[in-house]
Amino acid sequence: MPRILQDSKLSSRSARARLPCDVRQEHRLSLSEGVSLIYRKGKRAGKWFARIYDPRTQRYHAEYIGIADDTSDADGIQVFSWSQAQERARDIATEAAAKVQGKRLGPYTVADAMEDYHRGLEHQGRSAHDSRRRTELYILPSLGSVQLKDLDVETLRQWLADMANHPGYRRGGQAPARKNPRSEEQAADYKRKRRDSANRILTILKAGLNYAFNEGKVSSDAAWSAKRLKPFRATSKARPDYLSKAEVKRLVNAASPGFRDLIRGALYTGARYGDLIAMDVADFKPDAGVIISANAKTSSPTPTYLTDEGVDFFGRLTLGRPPSEPMFVHPSGGRWGKSQQSRPMAQAVARADIKVPITFHGLRHTYASHAVMNGVPLLVIAQNLGHKDTRMVEKHYGHLANSYMRETLRNSGPRWELGDQSNVVSLR
């Protein structure tokens, strides 16, 4: 333990009492290279600060330690004695040095695991923005300070149950007022939605914890194993928000000219809005009948294969244009921005007199739904949408495939024309 340094002006209460009362004046004691203890005299009691040199910015910064024990007894938490202030200043300097070197001091917590996981995603070129936001809102407040070695399945099960009862947050991070459902059906649907949201957050948490386990930060993953910590069942609901062919035509005709091409691009590719607005003219490959989707949810671009109608559309859209231009140009010029699709989509839906509650993302569901109903294999649809396998397609559109098979068999199944007569005579 470093020895406690002495200073004739600062070491004792009586010495500090003789100093002039001026919070703008700093009394400084150098503890080591780049580390100093600062005292500022106030009207009642002075305050301690640690002055630390940051090699990254090549500047000093001061960090508050606490109140000096000029009028109250020291407790090492809020009120610090001369020796306690020196020890805390050295601790702050050590923590700052560890941060510069990318090292972590103290026990490894859930918060540490989630931060490492998100950094890993970003290192792979994947977006961690949404996962970070959900982690900060739903995971860290309850579990952030828990050490991984102390994490147990009971704690996680209770956290998951609390998540299912949580009303969620608005975009601004504020929890909405809880509304009483008007019917049993609404209450059941609300419960299903909250459990589905809890499952999504659980997926993020498990991904972070598994990342820590694989990196050797904890010796066991038993607390969150699939056998012990299970998500809520029967929480998903088949996607209802897709348009009929007649509604699609009305929507396209009702859309403003600058927005119409963006709608058609979504209907021909099933791409997300973010992927569409990121496309350049060069992303269309007419010889292969394919367009490249940036597909921000994966680590690599995804080729989307087009129908002949889609090839014709993108061929006309890109004809004679420089390869580096945005595929879809905003009416004001340049590329479409984030969330700029919401208002023109709502206007087009209203003009087209469409009653289905549809958003721009619903065009992706419309593309997938009609592909399924037209008999396109689920694996082909999944790959065109950028999914690794068919699970998501089966989950949200499998009921349409069942309807298609049932209708196909009714229309095209074997017919024997055996009639209703029988030659079998009952024996009595």
Side-chain angles (χ1 to χ4, degrees):
M1 179 177 177
R3 64 188 182 90
I4 301 301
L5 303 181
Q6 300 299 321
D7 185 286
S8 59
K9 294 182 179 181
L10 302 175
S11 297
S12 64
R13 289 181 176 180
S14 57
R16 296 194 295 270
R18 292 191 292 270
L19 295 174
C21 181
D22 187 354
V23 294
R24 295 170 297 179
Q25 183 178 2
E26 294 183 351
H27 304 276
R28 187 182 305 165
L29 173 69
S30 177
L31 300 179
S32 60
E33 185 176 355
V35 184
S36 300
L37 178 65
I38 292 175
Y39 175 77
R40 294 176 186 170
K41 178 77 176 284
K43 290 184 178 180
R44 293 185 178 181
K47 295 180 180 179
W48 300 115
F49 295 84
R51 184 173 183 265
I52 311 296
Y53 178 74
D54 189 340
R56 296 171 298 183
T57 61
Q58 297 184 348
R59 292 183 178 182
Y60 283 93
H61 70 275
E63 185 167 334
Y64 177 66
I65 294 176
I67 301 170
D69 63 338
D70 296 342
T71 57
S72 304
D73 291 335
D75 56 17
I77 300 174
Q78 291 182 308
V79 182
F80 291 78
S81 67
W82 170 245
S83 60
Q84 290 172 338
Q86 288 190 45
E87 292 176 4
R88 180 58 188 144
R90 290 190 175 97
D91 289 342
I92 291 173
T94 302
E95 292 167 3
K99 187 175 182 179
V100 170
Q101 299 175 26
K103 297 180 180 179
R104 183 178 286 107
L105 300 176
Y108 194 79
T109 64
V110 172
D112 297 328
M114 299 309 297
E115 177 61 26
D116 287 347
Y117 166 64
H118 291 134
R119 286 182 180 176
L121 288 180
E122 293 165 346
H123 182 71
Q124 297 172 12
R126 299 170 62 184
S127 173
H129 175 74
D130 183 67
S131 180
R132 280 186 182 276
R133 183 179 65 86
R134 293 175 185 270
T135 296
E136 291 170 0
L137 290 175
Y138 299 106
I139 297 175
L140 299 187
S142 300
L143 301 175
S145 62
V146 179
Q147 297 182 34
L148 248 65
K149 65 181 182 64
D150 296 333
L151 202 58
D152 56 71
V153 68
E154 288 77 15
T155 299
L156 292 174
R157 285 172 180 166
Q158 183 59 53
W159 168 82
L160 184 60
D162 293 340
M163 285 298 98
N165 292 321
H166 197 288
Y169 290 99
R170 297 191 183 97
R171 285 187 177 273
Q174 298 295 322
R178 190 184 293 271
K179 296 182 179 180
N180 294 324
R182 289 173 290 181
S183 65
E184 291 184 4
E185 183 179 355
Q186 288 179 328
D189 191 54
Y190 177 82
K191 182 178 181 180
R192 178 195 64 77
K193 288 179 179 179
R194 296 316 311 156
R195 287 186 169 188
D196 189 45
S197 295
N199 284 350
R200 293 172 186 268
I201 301 165
L202 175 63
T203 299
I204 295 173
L205 175 61
K206 280 193 171 186
L209 298 178
N210 286 329
Y211 184 89
F213 175 71
N214 293 332
E215 291 292 312
K217 302 296 185 180
V218 65
S219 59
S220 173
D221 62 346
W224 59 87
S225 66
K227 291 184 177 180
R228 302 186 69 190
L229 183 62
K230 298 180 180 180
F232 293 106
R233 299 182 62 181
T235 61
S236 298
K237 191 175 182 180
R239 300 279 189 183
D241 49 345
Y242 71 90
L243 302 177
S244 67
K245 287 185 178 181
E247 289 171 329
V248 165
K249 290 181 179 179
R250 297 208 310 270
L251 179 69
V252 171
N253 292 334
S256 57
F259 187 56
R260 188 174 298 146
D261 284 342
L262 199 59
I263 288 181
R264 296 182 70 177
L267 291 168
Y268 286 130
T269 63
R272 300 177 180 90
Y273 173 73
D275 295 337
L276 290 168
I277 64 175
M279 290 177 184
D280 294 329
V281 170
D283 292 333
F284 173 54
K285 313 297 181 184
D287 294 339
V290 68
I291 193 164
I292 304 299
S293 170
N295 201 12
K297 287 197 173 183
T298 65
S299 56
S300 60
T302 300
T304 300
Y305 293 90
L306 303 169
T307 61
D308 291 340
E309 189 178 345
V311 172
D312 290 341
F313 165 73
F314 281 101
R316 293 192 303 272
L317 188 64
T318 59
L319 184 64
R321 296 174 60 195
S324 59
E325 278 192 4
M327 178 71 74
F328 301 96
V329 180
H330 190 271
S332 62
R335 203 177 293 276
W336 285 79
K338 184 178 180 181
S339 300
Q340 286 186 322
Q341 84 287 7
S342 299
R343 182 172 294 178
M345 183 67 183
Q347 292 171 346
V349 169
R351 289 195 204 105
D353 193 29
I354 293 174
K355 305 304 182 183
V356 177
I358 194 82
T359 63
F360 191 91
H361 194 73
L363 300 179
R364 178 174 169 88
H365 303 322
T366 298
Y367 169 88
S369 298
H370 283 273
V372 170
M373 290 187 290
N374 287 344
V376 179
L378 297 186
L379 181 60
V380 174
I381 299 173
Q383 291 179 344
N384 239 27
L385 292 176
H387 298 309
K388 293 181 179 180
D389 51 46
T390 62
R391 286 180 295 177
M392 290 297 292
V393 176
E394 291 172 348
K395 178 180 178 181
H396 295 304
Y397 311 106
H399 65 294
L400 299 176
N402 294 337
S403 300
Y404 160 78
M405 289 188 290
R406 181 169 59 249
E407 196 66 26
T408 299
L409 282 173
R410 284 178 178 175
N411 295 332
S412 306
R415 287 175 169 77
W416 310 116
E417 299 180 359
L418 298 178
D420 296 328
Q421 297 180 354
S422 173
N423 295 325
V424 178
V425 178
S426 175
L427 298 177
R428 295 187 180 181

